Amino acid sequence: MKITLSFSTPSELETESLVAVALDHADKTSNGKEPAASNKIEKPQLKLASGDAAVQSVAADLLGSGEVTGRPFETNLLHKPVGLKAKRLLLISGGAAKKFTSYDLRRIAGAAVRTLKARGIRSFAFIAPPSIPAEEAVRAIVEGALVGNFDPDYYRSDRKDQKIDALTIVASGNSDKAALEKAANEALIIGESQNFTRDLVNEPANRMTPTILAERASKMCQEVGLKCEVYGADKIKELKMGAFWGVAQGSDEPPALIVMRYEPAGAPEKPVLGLVGKGITFDTGGISIKPADNMEKMKYDMAGGATMIGVMRAIALLKPKVKVIGIVCATENMPSGKAQKPGDVQIAMSGKSIEIINTDAEGRLVLADGLFYARQLGCTHLVDAATLTGAVVVALGYANAGVFANDDAIYERFHKANEEAGEKMWRLPLDDEYKDNIKSSIADIVNSGGRWGGAINAAMFLKEFAEDTPWIHLDIAGTAWTEEQKPWIAKGPSGIALRSLVEFVQSFAN
Ligand code: BES
Ligand code: MN
Ligand code: ZN
């Protein structure tokens, strides 16, 4: 999508469609506490978020008619709006003016894209709502628009391939133009990287084997100037990654250990950030096989790895002065005559022995070696992302990803980045009490701590391998895949966590 900034008067803009956000200015509370006059619900007072009188006036009758509720994502399209040079005016409701933030704006921009592209429109101009600081608004609109432009129906013969090619953002004439250009360019890099990740996650397992994932990663690295090494089974065994190999040994598809390095000139020796992703290109459960229902979804079990590959792409293009190493442990988890069995003991690269209770708890095995390897490569701070547990979905549903940290300072830094990126995540505990759940009678630890607190048990397991290195663990099992389409996003891979991670990495360079 081509992004252009415009500082002209919206009504003067020639475009396929002008888009304005309608906000409800009705004061729903009388004194900020009590509901207004209890038995009558106040009518919405809808106004467009634009300072242009011509735009306001062409929409005034419709907005005042009582036909428009003002509920978020409601759309109304006017053709040949009188007094505007635009061919159409799309009004899209953003809810209460008082509560409207860049988080909402991001979604509204996505919804505008999805509404217009479904009508075969290829370009439009979006009026940045003046109530949100201009840079923040530009970022949100660009990111939201790119997220909305993605559709997963690649293999449908009737794929319409409708997308928006060009977006103009109309900002106020007295903004700092250079700052807005920079914001727009950065947001474009981030949005495109998020869609790059979603493309990888979207591919079915027969078209996204560990080998193919590695090829896609190295191709990307070459394009953006990153170093990339891909190792196979020999190296995994040579490094004594017994936990990773324990999973990989059951598959006929060769595993891949993908190492991407971003080492910009002028970056200090430290910190070195290690981004470790779970890259299970298909999770059958192994010998502890999963039921058939919904097993097809386990093609997205490499979403954590794909996220890290997308983050490395964004970082390479944004060029913050901080060293970053991205590591993806990619393999299938298959049952076979060569597969590991419940009761087997594997020795991880760190030397810790692991009793395999459930071969379906494979993500933590590959990450154990990935995290330890990152520390060996000199990483001073670690983040992992993984579709790790069904239990995190039980705990947090689809709205929030689970965050874990072994250090409050790194958590605070991540949390700030997370809020700025407008993604929802919720911290879960890692108290010592949970350690009992992963005790083994034959080895140092078990790979499955049972059902209760399942997401925490998995995180406790990973913590054994992060040890005292500051570390964040993101369990994205519930958020990496959008179950139902929403006005702002298609059903399918979400690319969630990428924006927070990019923001987090950049925070080390500021
Ligand atoms: N990949 C799954 C977790 C998952 C479940 C991701 C649902 C997305 C949606 C993971 O490898 C797994 O199977 N975890 C087990 C762990 C258990 C055996 C301790 C789980 O959550 O049931
Ligand atoms: Mn599994
Ligand atoms: Zn898995």
Side-chain angles (χ1 to χ4, degrees):
M1 194 189 296
K2 189 177 179 298
I3 309 286
T4 316
L5 289 177
S6 163
F7 301 95
S8 55
T9 314
S11 50
E12 294 297 316
L13 218 73
E14 287 180 27
T15 169
E16 285 297 315
S17 183
L18 197 59
V19 179
V21 184
L23 296 177
D24 184 359
H25 292 262
D27 195 1
K28 294 248 157 64
T29 55
S30 51
N31 59 8
K33 282 183 194 144
E34 299 293 315
S38 51
N39 51 4
K40 72 163 207 274
I41 297 166
E42 215 182 322
K43 273 200 281 180
Q45 287 175 24
L46 300 171
K47 268 189 244 159
L48 296 185
S50 165
D52 186 343
V55 175
Q56 290 293 354
S57 102
V58 69
D61 282 351
L62 175 60
L63 292 180
S65 67
E67 293 166 34
V68 183
T69 66
R71 273 188 224 113
F73 306 113
E74 177 185 34
T75 55
N76 282 283
L77 187 62
L78 301 176
H79 277 239
K80 292 190 186 165
V82 177
L84 308 191
K85 290 198 172 150
K87 289 191 192 158
R88 305 172 184 81
L89 174 63
L90 175 70
L91 310 181
I92 179 156
S93 299
K98 267 190 192 164
K99 291 189 191 154
F100 191 72
T101 65
S102 56
Y103 182 84
D104 308 302
L105 178 58
R106 197 179 273 110
R107 292 184 163 187
I108 292 289
V113 164
R114 298 191 67 70
T115 304
L116 292 173
K117 75 171 187 160
R119 291 169 174 263
I121 292 166
R122 298 272 178 186
S123 61
F124 68 91
F126 193 106
I127 305 174
S131 62
I132 293 173
E135 264 183 71
E136 199 183 322
V138 165
R139 274 178 210 279
I141 294 165
V142 174
E143 289 171 3
L146 273 123
V147 166
N149 216 16
F150 178 95
D151 269 299
D153 53 349
Y154 270 47
Y155 297 105
R156 288 179 69 146
S157 314
D158 63 351
R159 175 169 163 90
K160 294 203 190 78
D161 202 19
Q162 286 174 321
K163 56 181 184 335
I164 298 294
D165 300 324
L167 163 64
T168 301
I169 299 172
V170 195
S172 137
N174 38 29
S175 350
D176 175 348
K177 294 179 187 172
L180 292 198
E181 291 288 352
K182 183 164 174 277
N185 286 333
E186 290 183 0
L188 181 62
I189 289 169
I190 292 170
E192 284 178 347
S193 298
Q194 187 170 346
N195 286 346
F196 174 77
T197 289
R198 293 165 84 194
D199 264 333
L200 298 177
V201 178
N202 194 38
E203 290 295 334
N206 65 330
R207 294 168 181 275
M208 188 48 71
T209 60
T211 307
I212 299 172
L213 184 63
E215 281 167 9
R216 296 282 286 266
S218 13
K219 182 162 167 270
M220 178 282 289
C221 286
Q222 212 161 30
E223 284 166 7
V224 301
L226 292 174
K227 280 186 221 154
C228 181
E229 296 140 312
V230 176
Y231 302 111
D234 290 346
K235 178 82 173 190
I236 292 166
K237 286 188 247 183
E238 184 193 312
L239 289 170
K240 299 196 158 51
M241 292 181 156
F244 185 1
W245 178 246
V247 180
Q249 71 182 40
S251 175
D252 285 344
E253 280 296 336
L257 171 63
I258 308 167
V259 183
M260 299 159 283
R261 289 168 190 265
Y262 172 68
E263 292 163 332
E269 274 309 300
K270 281 176 185 176
V272 181
L273 312 182
L275 308 179
V276 184
K278 169 176 173 180
I280 303 295
T281 58
F282 196 77
D283 182 11
T284 65
I287 297 298
S288 315
I289 198 161
K290 287 180 183 295
D293 268 5
N294 297 320
M295 202 206 269
E296 75 284 356
K297 277 194 66 192
M298 283 301 117
K299 67 171 189 169
Y300 89 95
D301 214 18
M302 36 61 79
T307 302
M308 295 319 192
I309 299 171
V311 172
M312 293 305 290
R313 179 189 186 275
I315 292 302
L317 296 170
L318 293 168
K319 306 189 193 322
K321 289 226 180 316
V322 55
K323 291 186 179 177
V324 189
I325 303 179
I327 296 173
V328 179
C329 301
T331 175
E332 292 182 333
N333 184 26
M334 297 291 283
S336 78
K338 293 181 297 174
Q340 67 178 345
K341 296 169 278 291
D344 284 3
V345 172
Q346 308 291 12
I347 312 295
M349 188 185 186
S350 75
K352 282 210 163 80
S353 57
I354 305 165
E355 181 186 4
I356 307 300
I357 299 294
N358 189 320
T359 64
D360 198 8
E362 85 296 341
R364 63 198 77 181
L365 295 173
V366 306
L367 289 174
D369 284 338
L371 288 167
F372 188 80
Y373 184 51
R375 290 169 62 213
Q376 281 222 327
L377 294 180
C379 293
T380 58
H381 298 71
L382 299 171
V383 188
D384 76 74
T387 47
L388 203 61
T389 65
V392 83
V393 194
V394 174
L396 298 173
Y398 296 118
N400 278 279
V403 189
F404 299 83
N406 63 353
D407 173 272
D408 288 340
I410 196 173
Y411 174 74
E412 287 309 328
R413 184 191 279 270
F414 181 79
H415 179 64
K416 204 164 157 259
N418 181 216
E419 283 196 322
E420 262 164 54
E423 295 180 319
K424 291 205 169 176
M425 304 200 184
W426 197 261
R427 189 177 186 181
L428 293 167
L430 278 178
D431 302 310
D432 285 340
E433 279 81 349
Y434 296 101
K435 219 177 149 178
D436 290 346
N437 295 349
I438 56 167
K439 275 190 182 147
S440 165
S441 44
I442 186 175
D444 295 329
I445 46 177
V446 292
N447 79 326
S448 165
R451 189 163 165 215
W452 310 117
I456 302 172
N457 297 338
M460 288 302 286
F461 180 95
L462 296 180
K463 190 173 164 225
E464 295 291 313
F465 299 90
E467 294 187 55
D468 52 6
T469 305
W471 156 78
I472 296 275
H473 158 54
L474 304 178
D475 194 336
I476 57 171
T479 49
W481 195 267
T482 308
E483 291 293 320
E484 295 167 26
Q485 66 159 345
K486 297 278 164 56
W488 64 90
I489 193 170
K491 176 178 171 171
S494 68
I496 288 285
L498 179 137
R499 289 204 307 265
S500 298
L501 288 167
V502 171
E503 198 67 48
F504 176 74
V505 169
Q506 285 181 303
S507 80
F508 283 89
N510 297 337

